Amino acid sequence: MVVDDEEKANILNTFFSTVFTVENEMLGEIPRNNENPILRVTNLTQEEVRNRLNKIKIDKSPGPDGIHPRVLRELSNVIDKPLFLIFSDSIATGSVPQDWRIANVVPIFKKGSKSEPGNYRPHGFMRNRSCQTNLISFYEEVSYRLDHGESLDVVYLDFSKAFDTVPHKRTPRPVLRLLPNGVTFRGLPFMSRASVPTSSIHQGVFSLHLKDLKEEDAGRYNAVVRYGQRKRRCECEVSLRTITVIQSPDGPLPENSSVTLTCKIVNPGSSSTSVHWLHLGIPVRPSIRISENGSSLHLHRLTQEDHGKWSCEVDGARSSITLLVVGITRPDPIMLYTGVGSSVELPCNITHLPMEQRLSYHWSKDKENIVDNKQALVLNPVRPEDAGTYRCDTTYKSQRLTRRIELRVIQVLPAGTSFTKEGSYLQMLCSINGSTGKERFHWTGPALPDGQRKVIKGAFVDLRDLQTQDSGAWTCSVYDVDRLLGEVEHWVYVHAAQASDIDTFTSWHVILPLMVIFVSCLAAIAFIAFRNHKRRLSHLAALTSIEVSTVSPPKKLSVSE
C-alpha cells in the first residue's frame, strides 16, 4: 500500500500520461470551413488589474505558488503595478511565464475501488457545467421537438475517458485577423510570429509570414478574405511541412559511443522526399563509421571531429542540430616540460561537459596509483623524480575517457645555488629527466652593465675566470624545432677577493704587531711566575723558625676525706 503523498502523485501521473491519445501525423488534419474566434486583448490598465485582485475569493486554497488569495486581495494596491507590467509584457510577446503554466491537478474519483489509479480522472466539468446541466439541455431539446410534432431519434454514446482520448491537435487554431483599418489580431500561439505584409495588400496579396517555425506549426491553413458588405470570401489551403533533426540518445555523448540522427518530416504528403545530410555545411559521405538508413544517419565510434552542427536538407529546406561530443582535449598524450622547484598543474580537461555534471577522476603515475580524485593534479614543488607518464581516467555515460600526460623535468647540475669567487671556474649542465633526445638548449646569463646578456647554445656552460658581473640568474631554455618547451633558472653568486686572504697575513705590517703582542704576553707570564716563586720561599723560612714547646707531666690530684 502506498502511503507517501509524493509517491501517490507519481503513480497517478504515470497512469494519466498513458491514456492520452497520440496523434497519427500521417493522417493529416480534418479540414474545416468555419471561422474560429481570435484572441482579442483590449488595452490593459493598472486599475483593471487592481479591480480583479479585489474580486478574488479569499475562501479558495492557494495555487502552486503557495500564496493565499487573501494575501493577493489585501495587497492589491501594492502588487497591481508589477502584475500589470508582467501581463502587458506577456500580451506583447505572446509568451506566458513558465511558473504560470504549472497547476495543481486534483484527481477526481469516479467509481470503483479507490486504490485503483484507473478510477480517477485528472479533469472535471467546466465551470457551470455538470451532468445535471447536460441532462436539462437534452430534456429541453427533446420537449421542444415533441411539442412541435417533429420526429426525434436518439443515439447514446459513452466515451471511456473522453477528455483524455480526444485528439486535441485536430482543433483548429486561429492564426491572424487583419481588419480594414490595419488593426491586427493574432492567436496566442502566433503572437509576434505571424504577420501579413501590408505593402502588398492593395495588390490583392495576403501572404502569411511565419517566423521561428515550430514543429506544431505543420498542417493546413485556411485563408478567408471579405470584400465590402457582400462578404465575398476567397478560401485557400496551404500545406506546411516542417523538418526537425532528432538525436537519439540525446544530450552530450562521450567519445567512442554511437548516435542516430533522424530527419523527422511532419506532414510530408504523398510525394516522396530525398534527405541530404551535411556536417558543418559539408555534404556527408558514407564511411566505415557513418551509414544512412532512410531518413536516419548512424554515427559510430564518435570522435572530437564529429562535434558541431549536423543538418538534414529536404527540398531546399534545412534543419540543424548541434552534436556535443564529450571527450579528452587533443592532443593525447600531452607533453609538459617544467623546471625543478617550480609548480605545475597536470590538466585532465573534458570538452563540452555540461556544467551540472560532476565526474570522479582517478590519477596514476607509471601504473602506480595516486591518491587524488581532482580534475587537475598539482605538483609543488617539482622534483627530478616526478618525471614520468601520468594517466587520468574518468567515466561518462558508461564510457571511459583517458588522458595521458608525459611530464619532463628540467634541472641544472650541480644542483642548488652556486657560490664561487672571482677568477674561479664553473661548469653547469642543463639536463632533462625523460628527454626525447631531440630538445635544444639555450643558456641566457644575467644582464650586463650595458644591458646585454650572454647567450650560449648547448646543454653545457663553461665559465672561466668568473667576474662579479656573472652573478645572477642563469636561465636554461629548452626548445623543439620552433617553440619553447620549458625553462629553469640557476642562481650563481660570485664574490670579490677580500683582504682576509692568507697572503695578506704574511705582510710586515701585520706580522710586527702580532710579534709585539706575543712578546708582551710572554713577559707577563714570566713576571707572574717569578712573583709566585718568591712567595713560596718566604713561607718556608717562617715555618723553620718556630720552636716546639715540651709537654709537662700530669699532676696528681688528692681528695681529702
Side-chain angles (χ1 to χ4, degrees):
M1 178 179 292
V2 178
V3 179
D4 184 66
D5 292 340
E6 183 176 355
E7 190 173 354
K8 291 179 183 178
N10 291 333
I11 293 176
L12 290 170
N13 181 62
T14 302
F15 173 76
F16 294 153
S17 63
T18 59
V19 299
F20 277 89
T21 299
V22 179
E23 286 282 359
N24 186 347
E25 297 173 350
M26 298 298 294
L27 297 178
E29 296 186 1
I30 299 176
R32 299 174 183 267
N33 292 328
N34 60 314
E35 295 184 53
N36 300 287
I38 300 294
L39 176 63
R40 298 193 180 189
V41 181
T42 58
N43 292 331
L44 188 64
T45 62
Q46 183 175 339
E47 182 180 0
E48 184 176 356
V49 174
R50 188 186 315 114
N51 293 336
R52 294 287 183 176
L53 290 172
N54 290 328
K55 294 180 180 179
I56 292 179
K57 295 183 179 180
I58 60 175
D59 57 345
K60 300 295 183 179
S61 60
D65 54 8
I67 302 176
H68 198 277
R70 187 181 187 90
V71 176
L72 299 176
R73 184 170 176 177
E74 295 293 337
L75 298 178
S76 60
N77 293 332
V78 179
I79 63 176
D80 56 348
K81 184 173 182 178
L83 287 178
F84 163 71
L85 297 176
I86 295 175
F87 292 149
S88 300
D89 187 66
S90 176
I91 294 172
T93 60
S95 61
V96 179
Q98 188 64 35
D99 292 345
W100 292 4
R101 305 179 188 183
I102 301 174
N104 291 332
V105 178
V106 180
I108 301 174
F109 176 71
K110 292 298 183 179
K111 59 181 179 179
S113 175
K114 292 187 177 182
S115 61
E116 291 294 331
N119 294 330
Y120 290 85
R121 299 291 180 269
H123 306 278
F125 279 96
M126 296 174 59
R127 186 179 181 182
N128 299 326
R129 299 289 188 274
S130 64
C131 291
Q132 287 80 4
T133 58
N134 187 22
L135 289 174
I136 291 173
S137 299
F138 174 75
Y139 178 79
E140 289 182 352
E141 182 67 21
V142 172
S143 300
Y144 175 82
R145 293 185 178 274
L146 292 178
D147 291 342
H148 289 76
E150 299 179 4
S151 60
L152 180 66
D153 296 325
V154 179
V155 178
Y156 293 93
L157 298 175
D158 184 14
F159 292 95
S160 177
K161 304 180 182 64
F163 184 88
D164 302 339
T165 55
V166 169
H168 296 280
K169 281 189 177 181
R170 299 191 183 186
T171 304
R173 296 180 298 169
V175 179
L176 179 145
R177 174 176 293 176
L178 179 62
L179 301 182
N181 57 5
V183 177
T184 303
F185 298 96
R186 296 179 178 86
L188 187 59
F190 299 95
M191 282 290 188
S192 73
R193 297 197 302 121
S195 63
V196 173
T198 56
S199 58
S200 58
I201 291 179
H202 66 280
Q203 300 176 357
V205 179
F206 303 90
S207 300
L208 177 65
H209 287 210
L210 292 178
K211 61 181 181 180
D212 299 330
L213 280 178
K214 302 178 181 180
E215 182 176 323
E216 55 267 25
D217 291 338
R220 289 187 175 90
Y221 287 75
N222 296 330
V224 179
V225 181
R226 292 184 176 88
Y227 293 94
Q229 299 297 328
R230 300 180 59 183
K231 295 185 179 180
R232 299 175 58 185
R233 63 176 59 188
C234 171
E235 298 186 6
C236 64
E237 293 186 359
V238 178
S239 295
L240 176 64
R241 179 172 58 189
T242 62
I243 57 175
T244 308
V245 178
I246 300 176
Q247 175 187 327
S248 178
D250 59 355
L253 299 176
E255 287 181 317
N256 298 318
S257 61
S258 300
V259 65
T260 299
L261 303 179
T262 302
C263 191
K264 181 180 179 182
I265 306 172
V266 181
N267 192 22
S270 58
S271 60
S272 59
T273 57
S274 59
V275 177
H276 302 281
W277 288 95
L278 303 96
H279 180 220
L280 302 178
I282 302 174
V284 176
R285 299 181 182 277
S287 63
I288 299 177
R289 296 192 309 108
I290 303 176
S291 60
E292 292 188 56
N293 183 13
S295 60
S296 297
L297 187 69
H298 304 282
L299 306 177
H300 306 280
R301 299 193 302 276
L302 290 174
T303 66
Q304 289 293 308
E305 287 72 22
D306 296 326
H307 173 81
K309 181 181 292 186
W310 290 80
S311 307
C312 74
E313 190 174 72
V314 179
D315 297 337
R318 183 180 298 182
S319 178
S320 304
I321 191 172
T322 299
L323 180 63
L324 300 179
V325 180
V326 177
I328 299 294
T329 55
R330 293 293 185 262
D332 187 50
I334 292 179
M335 307 294 181
L336 288 182
Y337 289 77
T338 187
V340 169
S342 63
S343 176
V344 65
E345 180 178 287
L346 307 184
C348 190
N349 295 335
I350 307 296
T351 62
H352 312 118
L353 183 67
M355 295 295 295
E356 67 277 3
Q357 189 72 39
R358 295 292 182 268
L359 301 181
S360 178
Y361 300 87
H362 177 262
W363 284 92
S364 61
K365 175 182 179 290
D366 298 332
K367 299 183 179 180
E368 294 183 2
N369 294 333
I370 300 176
V371 183
D372 198 315
N373 59 354
K374 297 180 181 179
Q375 186 174 359
L377 180 64
V378 178
L379 303 177
N380 185 22
V382 175
R383 302 169 298 175
E385 56 268 25
D386 289 334
T389 301
Y390 291 79
R391 173 170 170 164
C392 171
D393 293 294
T394 187
T395 302
Y396 179 72
K397 292 187 177 180
S398 302
Q399 289 288 339
R400 173 175 289 186
L401 306 176
T402 301
R403 151 71 71 211
R404 286 180 293 272
I405 300 176
E406 296 286 347
L407 181 62
R408 282 142 191 183
V409 179
I410 310 170
Q411 63 176 337
V412 175
L413 298 176
T417 304
S418 296
F419 293 91
T420 185
K421 64 178 180 178
E422 273 186 316
S424 62
Y425 167 76
L426 177 63
Q427 185 183 66
M428 295 181 293
L429 169 64
C430 188
S431 64
I432 302 175
N433 286 13
S435 172
T436 62
K438 299 180 180 180
E439 298 91 350
R440 296 184 294 111
F441 301 89
H442 283 187
W443 281 92
T444 305
L448 299 175
D450 58 359
Q452 301 296 320
R453 295 177 182 268
K454 290 183 179 180
V455 178
I456 303 173
K457 293 184 178 181
F460 284 94
V461 172
D462 290 323
L463 299 177
R464 302 178 184 274
D465 191 19
L466 283 168
Q467 303 298 320
T468 55
Q469 63 185 15
D470 294 324
S471 296
W474 286 77
T475 303
C476 173
S477 303
V478 179
Y479 292 85
D480 61 1
V481 178
D482 56 355
R483 65 187 180 97
L484 177 67
L485 300 176
E487 56 188 18
V488 65
E489 286 186 347
H490 183 79
W491 284 84
V492 176
Y493 290 96
V494 180
H495 60 84
Q498 301 296 326
S500 58
D501 290 349
I502 189 65
D503 295 337
T504 306
F505 286 97
T506 61
S507 59
W508 65 269
H509 60 275
V510 175
I511 294 177
L512 182 60
L514 290 177
M515 291 181 65
V516 173
I517 294 173
F518 180 70
V519 172
S520 300
C521 291
L522 290 178
I525 294 173
F527 174 76
I528 294 173
F530 175 76
R531 189 178 60 177
N532 290 339
H533 177 70
K534 187 176 181 180
R535 287 181 179 178
R536 285 195 295 270
L537 292 177
S538 63
H539 291 166
L540 290 175
L543 290 176
T544 55
S545 64
I546 296 176
E547 297 180 355
V548 181
S549 62
T550 59
V551 179
S552 59
K555 296 180 178 181
K556 293 182 180 180
L557 298 177
S558 62
V559 180
S560 60
E561 297 180 356

